[in-house]
Amino acid sequence: MSDEYLFVYGTLRQAFALPVHDVMMRHCQFLALGTLRGRLYQVDGYPGVVELPHCRGRVAGELYRIIDKKELFKLLDDYEQCSAKYPEPHEFIRKQADISTYDGAVCQAWVYFYNRAVSGLVRISSGDYVCHMRDLRKIRYNIAR
């Protein structure tokens, strides 16, 4: 049986230190930083990535090796509201995509893709949600002074 991988690009990244990340870490192991081809959008208080395999845009994130697939996806499908508990069409769908790591490796990993129209959403041109949120905090801080 070969390894399977998970790629996260938003609030599940380590920098956000959310409790769900700690639970996620019981079922997978961090491997590397990486990117996928696509465009990142600010949906609400979270991002959504739209897969565009032939575009030049890259979305930054973290690659994990899955230890317990059943438990991991039970947790994350509920977190992303794409489990059977939620009405369809789901806002996110889970599917595999090519992930490039910074050391040049490429692998297939599970990714939660945004599954709705992006018209009216703000595109995060950097492709990095952590940097985007840090920049927003700087702007808010500067305005408040």
Side-chain angles (χ1 to χ4, degrees), residues 78-117:
D78 278 349
Y79 180 76
E80 300 291 352
Q81 297 184 3
C82 64
S83 69
K85 293 184 200 177
Y86 297 93
E88 292 194 32
H90 296 134
E91 185 176 27
F92 288 89
I93 57 171
R94 174 173 41 92
K95 65 182 197 173
Q96 290 188 312
D98 287 337
I99 306 301
S100 299
T101 61
Y102 291 116
D103 66 1
V106 176
C107 71
Q108 285 269 303
W110 292 102
V111 181
Y112 287 88
F113 287 100
Y114 189 63
N115 192 37
R116 302 234 168 106

Side-chain angles (χ1 to χ4, degrees), residues 19-85:
V20 70
H21 178 80
D22 293 337
V23 177
M24 180 184 95
M25 291 303 296
R26 294 181 195 153
H27 310 295
C28 59
Q29 174 186 33
F30 176 78
L31 284 183
L33 297 175
T35 63
L36 69 85
R37 290 190 184 275
R39 291 198 178 129
L40 190 63
Y41 293 88
Q42 182 69 46
V43 177
D44 196 357
Y46 52 90
V49 68
V50 175
E51 180 181 28
L52 298 167
H54 302 292
C55 84
R56 291 185 181 186
R58 305 296 294 187
V59 175
E62 300 166 357
L63 182 65
Y64 292 83
R65 184 177 64 80
I66 297 171
I67 297 167
D68 186 339
K69 181 178 175 179
K70 182 180 175 185
E71 290 301 315
L72 177 68
F73 289 142
K74 181 179 172 185
L75 168 76
L76 295 183
D77 286 356
D78 278 349
Y79 180 76
E80 300 291 352
Q81 297 184 3
C82 64
S83 69
K85 293 184 200 177

Side-chain angles (χ1 to χ4, degrees), residues 8-22:
V8 297
Y9 56 85
T11 58
L12 289 171
R13 288 174 68 184
Q14 296 174 37
F16 290 98
L18 294 179
V20 70
H21 178 80
D22 293 337

